Amino acid sequence: MSSTLPPLALVGRTTQRAALHTALDRAVAGRPTCTVLRGPAGSGKSRLLADAIADAAARGFQVAVGRGYAAEAVTPYAIVADALVPLLRTLEPSTLTVLTRGASADLALVLPGVFDTSPADGGDGDRRIRMRWGLLQLLERLAARAPLLVVLDNLQWLDDASLELIQFLIHQLARDGAPRRLLVMAAFTDAAAPTPGALVHMLRALDAEREVDMLELSALSEGDTRELLSGTFSAPPEQVRLLAQRLHTRTQGNPYFIAKTLQSLVESGALVHDRNAWSGWDADARVLPRSIGDALQVRIEELAPQGRELLELIAIAGSSVSVIRLAELSGHAPASLLPELDALVTSGLVVAGEADAYDMEHPIARDAVLHGIPRPRLQLLHARIAQALQSRADTHSDALLDAIAFHASQAGPALQSERTAEFLVRAGHAALRRYADSSAAAYLTAALGRDPAPPLRRAAQALLARAHHRQGDANSATALWTSLHAEGAVAGDDALLAESSRRLGLIAFTAGDHTRALTHLSAAHDAATRAGNEDLAVRIDLARAASLQSLGQRSEARVRIEESLSVALRLGDPALLARVHRALVLLNVWTGARGEARAHGERAIALAEESGDAVLSWSAHWAMAVLGGLTGDAASTSHHVRASQRYADQLESPVLRLWSAEVAIEYMSGVGEWPAALALAGQAIPAARALGQHAVLPRLLVWTGLIHRGLGDLAQARVHIEEAWRIAGAEGGGEGLDVHIAVPVHTGMAGLLMTEGDNAGALAVGEAGLALAERSGEVAWTLYRLLPFVIETSLYLEDYERAARWNARLRVSAEASENPLALAWAGATDAVVAFLIRHDSASIALLRESADILRSVPFVFDA
């Protein structure tokens, strides 16, 4: 006789199983895909994934498996580390070095334990972007060695940062059709996610781009249940019909509930194996548990007190727990726990893993255990785990800080110590450093809920304000910095006043409220000066100058920058001086002072290289490339674009590569290198979308759209320019927009409408763009195509007076900035107007002169 349940037959999943195996076929053929299983708890998702994993292993795939846990619902990137760390640890260090190619410092954000380089605390998100691209390239290089299957189970428990990372990876793998032997399989439980909005958003975005194959798992039918019984127990279908009907009615076809119910029937003797056959098929419905909770609760109640406590600790811990850790948490010797742990495994509630670690057999079993623990005891157990973790020596580990923060948050009033608040703040800072902003906010909010001492509270508030600002919640960030500012004013703390005012100014600046930004930045500058922090004061003044320039107060901006230059010269810091000269480049380039801009640019480059700061060197060359492009200096543009691209590659910065690419595309569009420009745009535009770089994406789209316009592909030109128009928010007329986005998108739309024959519409859009530039005082954008488009449209409308008026404006600005390109356009307009009004034959010579200038710039298409 036997009381052991045989392995259950896999039934009712023919379509889904075939889809998973087909996905493996596609991966072997170099067609990367992502397949997602969704269904209720216990519907068999993990069973199907296990079947696919076995098939992949047999085919020679590298397999990486990660699982989400409820206890890690705010732990950034835990599932990615869970999947990849074990695989990467099997590689030789030399192999790992080749695969990562210098990206280890950024990969340490997401793969701790493999890459131990401590990541710097960045502020602009570029390190997060480098981490994403570094991880993508690591996966691609792994897949080049052998086909790679990445399995991610229980997506419903993931934090926002992890979901954003997974969405980025899947999107990029599908972006260009390049051959990659890589397959991502994922699964999640419906109606169980603590943050369903983030998961739903990710799935909708991927589904909209047709980047995932979604497989639904529903309950088994009564016929499926009968087939399962027949296959599992090797019994004729007719023999199991009655029990199948009763079982399906009670379980509603949930595979996990069916399995646990059958296990109960076997263990109770209702189903018995004797003489090579099973009997008991007429088991009365009364012996069936009413619910899966009832079935599991019976098992839990049968446990001895020590076994039940161990079960509770394993359930609360959230992931695999070692015997040593259980001994530490329970207060018993490790050897004394082994009999109880064996009993838990025998009960089917717990599974034993590698290295003497134990985990719950199924999320439903975990939920059943947690549901049975009274809330006060649950909080005390969380407190006990948090305190035990706090006593460990390796509390510098981000993963350990995350675990402490989770359990401390769940402990509530059971754990209110200052030490716990300190750990929560440390965990929040670590999460912020990894750009896991929602996790950081959760940890820091929990820390503030423990009423920490003033210094720790201020640190928590400052970090929480940064997290809110990154999340786009400027109101909450403003409230926190305002509170800190008030506290600094009462205490006379100039350092706190300078930092809080600076942050309030930067928030206002990014919101486009430059008047308010100036108020805060002026206060920040005063406080930094009182505190004797001259370096910070200079940086604040450069931010003030940017706001003044955006408001059209160019002379005041120049005063701020020149005062900063005086201080920076006295301090003798090359990096600080480079920043000041770079600010002077941009001040002069946008206002048309070409000679001054070039002198400051050359100085900025020299100082940046002296400082050894590659980012500053990139920035100085980029500013000089912009100067060359907007003043018609093709040779200078080409030289500095190449230099900026070289520094961007050296820094492995996708964002800096994008900004360099934008200038390169603009330059190539002007000189007629259209195939090369379109090829570069084909890489840059999807990358800018994926990285959320909305400051540069509209201009990338405009320059690309204008190339398509020149090629006569007006449909594609409209797609690009309309997207730029939407992103810029130009429908409302451009009020309050960044002039460096607003004027280019008006340029693109005016050029498109003119080519489509809507000259009146083109003129209205063009003159609206000129008004925006006029208010800001930044004339360079108007010289680059916008004024020529308005003039050309006026000519088409035979409004020669308007064309002449705008051309006079073009000539004045062109002469002031010594812009040969604009001067050539002005000369061509004078010639055309003279010919159309007076039929003056002298206009031919003037046109030829303009054409020669354009060819020498060289703007061949215009010539």
Side-chain angles (χ1 to χ4, degrees):
M1 299 179 65
S2 173
S3 60
T4 302
L5 179 66
L8 295 186
L10 182 58
V11 301
R13 301 292 185 245
T14 303
T15 301
Q16 294 88 348
R17 190 181 185 194
L20 294 180
H21 291 278
T22 299
L24 288 169
D25 293 336
R26 291 202 300 266
V28 171
R31 301 197 303 276
T33 58
C34 175
T35 302
V36 177
L37 293 170
R38 66 181 299 170
S43 58
K45 299 181 293 296
S46 296
R47 175 81 183 276
L48 277 171
L49 289 175
D51 181 69
I53 289 169
D55 184 14
R59 299 194 198 195
F61 273 72
Q62 305 168 94
V63 180
V65 182
R67 293 183 175 84
Y69 295 94
E72 296 174 345
V74 290
T75 304
Y77 315 128
I79 193 171
V80 179
D82 188 36
L84 293 177
V85 167
L87 175 62
L88 296 175
R89 282 179 173 165
T90 66
L91 302 176
E92 293 292 333
S94 58
T95 302
L96 200 55
T97 299
V98 172
L99 290 173
T100 56
R101 297 185 187 177
S104 59
D106 300 312
L107 289 171
L109 289 169
V110 70
L111 298 172
V114 177
F115 307 104
D116 296 321
T117 305
S118 178
D121 187 1
D124 60 1
D126 194 45
R127 182 174 290 271
R128 169 174 52 184
I129 294 167
R130 292 203 308 271
M131 174 271 285
R132 291 180 175 182
W133 283 94
L135 184 60
L136 173 67
Q137 290 168 347
L138 174 60
L139 293 175
E140 291 176 333
R141 291 165 189 157
L142 280 169
R145 291 162 49 88
L148 175 62
L149 170 63
V150 179
V151 177
L152 304 172
D153 200 2
N154 293 330
L155 295 184
Q156 74 273 7
W157 296 122
L158 299 195
D159 63 292
D160 290 0
S162 298
L163 290 171
E164 289 169 3
L165 175 59
I166 291 168
Q167 180 179 346
F168 169 81
L169 293 172
I170 293 171
H171 172 74
Q172 290 302 313
L173 290 170
R175 75 190 185 280
D176 56 9
R180 301 180 183 90
R181 297 182 298 169
L182 178 57
L183 171 62
V184 177
M185 287 186 183
F188 71 95
T189 298
D190 284 325
T195 53
L199 179 58
V200 169
H201 173 77
M202 181 191 86
L203 294 172
R204 283 179 178 169
L206 293 174
D207 189 52
E209 297 292 331
R210 297 183 179 178
E211 292 171 350
V212 294
D213 296 326
M214 191 72 68
L215 302 179
E216 302 274 354
L217 293 187
S218 56
L220 298 180
S221 67
E222 184 178 323
D224 294 331
T225 307
R226 185 167 61 250
E227 184 183 349
L228 184 149
L229 290 176
S230 178
T232 300
F233 296 99
S234 300
E238 286 302 316
Q239 190 175 32
V240 302
R241 181 181 295 277
L242 179 60
L243 180 59
Q245 183 181 31
R246 291 171 175 173
L247 191 60
H248 184 266
T249 300
R250 185 59 55 85
T251 65
Q252 296 297 301
N254 183 288
Y256 181 72
F257 192 5
I258 290 172
K260 289 303 172 187
T261 303
L262 290 173
Q263 186 176 6
S264 291
L265 291 174
V266 170
E267 291 176 353
S268 67
L271 277 176
V272 63
H273 185 262
D274 189 21
R275 297 177 183 175
N276 298 320
W278 287 86
S279 60
W281 302 114
D282 57 349
D284 193 282
R286 287 174 294 181
V287 306
L288 301 179
R290 288 190 301 274
S291 70
I292 188 62
D294 290 343
L296 293 170
Q297 201 60 42
V298 169
R299 299 175 183 280
I300 295 169
E301 291 172 357
E302 291 173 346
L303 298 172
Q306 185 179 2
R308 185 161 184 172
E309 182 185 34
L310 290 175
L311 181 67
E312 291 173 341
L313 289 170
I314 293 169
I316 293 169
S319 56
S320 295
V321 192
S322 69
V323 174
I324 300 298
R325 189 66 57 220
L326 286 169
E328 179 184 341
L329 295 174
S330 64
H332 299 286
S336 69
L337 303 182
L338 296 178
E340 295 296 343
L341 289 169
D342 288 341
L344 290 175
V345 173
T346 302
S347 73
L349 294 166
V350 167
V351 292
E354 297 179 359
D356 294 324
Y358 293 84
D359 197 359
M360 297 301 299
E361 183 267 347
H362 194 277
I364 292 179
R366 187 188 308 279
D367 292 342
V369 173
L370 296 177
H371 184 72
I373 304 174
R375 181 169 178 76
R377 175 168 171 75
L378 187 63
Q379 291 179 327
L380 286 171
L381 289 172
H382 276 295
R384 187 196 300 180
I385 294 173
Q387 288 172 320
L389 294 174
Q390 288 175 19
S391 66
R392 286 174 54 175
D394 58 340
T395 52
H396 65 281
S397 158
D398 287 348
L400 183 58
L401 286 172
D402 286 325
I404 293 171
F406 169 76
H407 291 293
S409 301
Q410 298 299 309
L415 193 62
Q416 289 288 93
S417 70
E418 180 81 2
R419 186 162 183 256
T420 298
E422 180 185 345
F423 272 106
L424 285 164
V425 173
R426 287 175 58 192
H429 194 188
L432 198 66
R433 190 182 66 237
R434 289 174 285 160
Y435 303 96
D437 303 323
S438 59
S439 300
Y443 297 158
L444 294 163
T445 300
L448 290 170
R450 282 161 172 76
D451 194 23
L456 189 61
R457 174 181 52 76
R458 285 193 292 270
Q461 287 177 311
L463 292 169
L464 182 57
R466 289 174 57 192
H468 283 321
H469 194 202
R470 284 186 184 179
Q471 291 175 301
D473 186 356
N475 291 335
S476 295
T478 298
L480 285 165
W481 286 119
T482 300
S483 174
L484 287 167
H485 184 274
E487 193 169 336
V490 170
D493 186 339
D494 285 322
L496 182 57
L497 283 171
E499 180 63 9
S500 57
S501 296
R502 184 176 78 91
R503 295 284 182 175
L504 288 167
L506 294 176
I507 291 171
F509 182 91
T510 56
D513 189 344
H514 297 292
T515 301
R516 184 160 55 91
L518 282 172
T519 300
H520 290 304
L521 291 170
S522 296
H525 184 270
D526 292 343
T529 302
R530 290 195 301 271
N533 192 337
E534 291 185 297
D535 184 278
L536 179 61
V538 168
R539 292 170 186 254
I540 292 170
D541 243 359
L542 295 178
R544 290 166 74 187
S547 277
L548 287 166
Q549 192 173 345
S550 295
L551 291 170
Q553 299 175 29
R554 298 182 301 286
S555 59
E556 293 87 344
R558 185 178 294 278
V559 169
R560 296 271 71 80
I561 298 175
E562 289 179 347
E563 287 181 357
S564 297
L565 177 60
S566 176
V567 176
L569 284 168
R570 179 165 49 78
L571 293 175
D573 180 353
L576 194 61
L577 276 167
R579 285 184 169 85
V580 177
H581 282 287
R582 177 189 177 278
L584 284 165
V585 174
L586 295 178
L587 173 70
N588 287 291
V589 70
W590 301 127
T591 55
R594 176 184 182 186
E596 287 187 53
R598 177 170 290 106
H600 287 297
E602 291 169 353
R603 186 67 179 137
I605 290 171
L607 287 163
E609 291 176 353
E610 180 184 343
S611 74
D613 188 326
V615 175
L616 271 177
S617 293
W618 171 87
S619 177
H621 281 289
W622 176 84
M624 287 291 279
V626 171
L627 170 65
L630 291 174
T631 57
D633 189 339
S636 175
T637 304
S638 178
H639 167 73
H640 290 294
V641 164
R642 288 197 302 271
S644 72
Q645 288 172 328
R646 186 172 65 252
Y647 278 108
D649 289 339
Q650 174 186 325
L651 291 161
E652 297 185 336
S653 170
V655 170
L656 300 188
R657 287 187 185 119
L658 278 179
W659 285 82
S660 296
E662 185 254 328
V663 182
I665 291 166
E666 179 186 2
Y667 165 74
M668 288 188 287
S669 73
V671 301
E673 296 177 9
W674 291 350
L678 290 177
L680 183 56
Q683 299 171 14
I685 290 173
R689 290 194 191 107
L691 299 174
Q693 293 296 303
H694 289 166
V696 69
L697 177 57
R699 293 202 300 270
L700 282 167
L701 290 164
V702 166
W703 311 141
T704 308
L706 289 176
I707 294 173
H708 284 294
R709 165 186 174 269
L711 290 168
D713 187 353
L714 296 186
Q716 192 59 50
R718 176 162 285 279
V719 168
H720 282 82
I721 291 171
E722 283 186 342
E723 183 181 352
W725 190 261
R726 287 194 303 273
I727 294 170
E731 292 89 347
E735 292 293 338
L737 297 182
D738 184 334
V739 68
H740 303 301
I741 297 174
V743 177
V745 300
H746 279 76
T747 302
M749 186 59 75
L752 174 66
L753 292 172
M754 179 176 62
T755 307
E756 291 179 336
D758 183 1
N759 293 310
L763 184 62
V765 169
E767 291 187 336
L770 289 170
L772 291 170
E774 181 68 31
R775 285 196 292 273
S776 71
E778 299 192 350
V779 302
W781 284 121
T782 67
L783 298 181
Y784 183 75
R785 293 200 175 271
L786 184 54
L787 270 168
F789 280 166
V790 169
I791 294 166
E792 188 173 354
T793 304
S794 300
L795 292 174
Y796 281 129
L797 291 169
E798 299 182 7
D799 190 342
Y800 304 131
E801 181 181 347
R802 186 189 297 264
R805 185 171 69 249
W806 283 121
N807 197 51
R809 157 81 175 275
L810 174 62
R811 182 173 291 283
V812 168
S813 298
E815 290 174 347
S817 61
E818 301 176 4
N819 187 326
L821 180 61
L823 285 169
W825 278 328
T829 301
D830 285 338
V832 170
V833 170
F835 177 76
L836 292 174
I837 294 176
R838 299 187 300 274
H839 304 288
D840 189 346
S841 61
S843 62
I844 296 174
L846 190 54
L847 281 171
R848 283 180 172 159
E849 180 182 337
S850 297
D852 290 340
I853 297 173
L854 287 166
R855 279 195 293 269
S856 68
V857 169
F859 262 45
V860 181
F861 176 74
D862 297 76

